[in-house]
Amino acid sequence: MIPTRVGGRLPAHCTGLGKALLSNAHPSELDRVGDPVLTGSTENSIPSRGRLRREIAEIRRSGVAYDRQEMVIGYGCIAAPVRVPGACASAISVCGPISQICADPRLADHVRVTALAIARALTDASRHSA
């Protein structure tokens, strides 16, 4: 079972959505994530703030975040931040069995493009309501 539910909370550094949201955080905010030593859910979870910073830098560059069996063994996630001017409004993701998530490398592109389309729609809506 994927441990997600509406309104649920999971460690941000162990999930694709959490890392996508953290990609918009100021670097000093990353120091407040979790305990002094990052505790993970699986052996694949990010163990240190240094590695988290490197992964966040890659997410900022690529526009896509991954959960590579970091929350639950056997499951993965591809997520993308929904960025509007001045903020990261939210994030979207696709989750499922790791074999399916990794099966098609184009899936990350679809998630990224969908997040960009949502951001555009939100930006356009806010312009029209102003």
Side-chain angles (χ1 to χ4, degrees):
M1 294 285 300
I2 300 174
T4 59
R5 68 182 186 354
V6 174
R9 291 179 179 232
L10 297 170
H13 70 284
C14 294
T15 68
L17 281 173
K19 290 185 277 185
L21 291 169
L22 288 173
S23 72
N24 204 57
H26 188 273
S28 66
E29 291 179 68
L30 294 178
D31 291 335
R32 296 190 303 231
V33 172
D35 299 323
V37 174
L38 297 179
T39 48
S41 297
T42 74
E43 65 272 6
N44 298 320
S45 299
I46 294 174
S48 69
R49 284 199 168 70
R51 185 162 155 212
L52 177 61
R53 282 190 201 94
R54 289 189 299 276
E55 187 147 343
I56 294 301
E58 177 57 24
I59 295 164
R60 288 176 179 153
R61 186 196 68 70
S62 70
V64 180
Y66 295 91
D67 166 354
R68 297 175 182 93
Q69 302 183 85
E70 296 166 58
M71 195 64 223
V72 176
I73 294 296
Y75 288 90
C77 176
I78 300 173
V82 177
R83 292 187 174 113
V84 295
C88 178
S90 61
I92 63 163
S93 70
V94 174
C95 300
I98 194 72
S99 60
Q100 292 178 352
I101 292 297
C102 294
D104 187 348
R106 297 173 297 174
L107 188 55
D109 292 331
H110 294 303
V111 172
R112 181 186 313 106
V113 168
T114 301
L116 290 169
I118 293 169
R120 261 187 246 114
L122 289 172
T123 301
D124 290 347
S126 70
R127 285 186 189 140
H128 290 112
S129 68

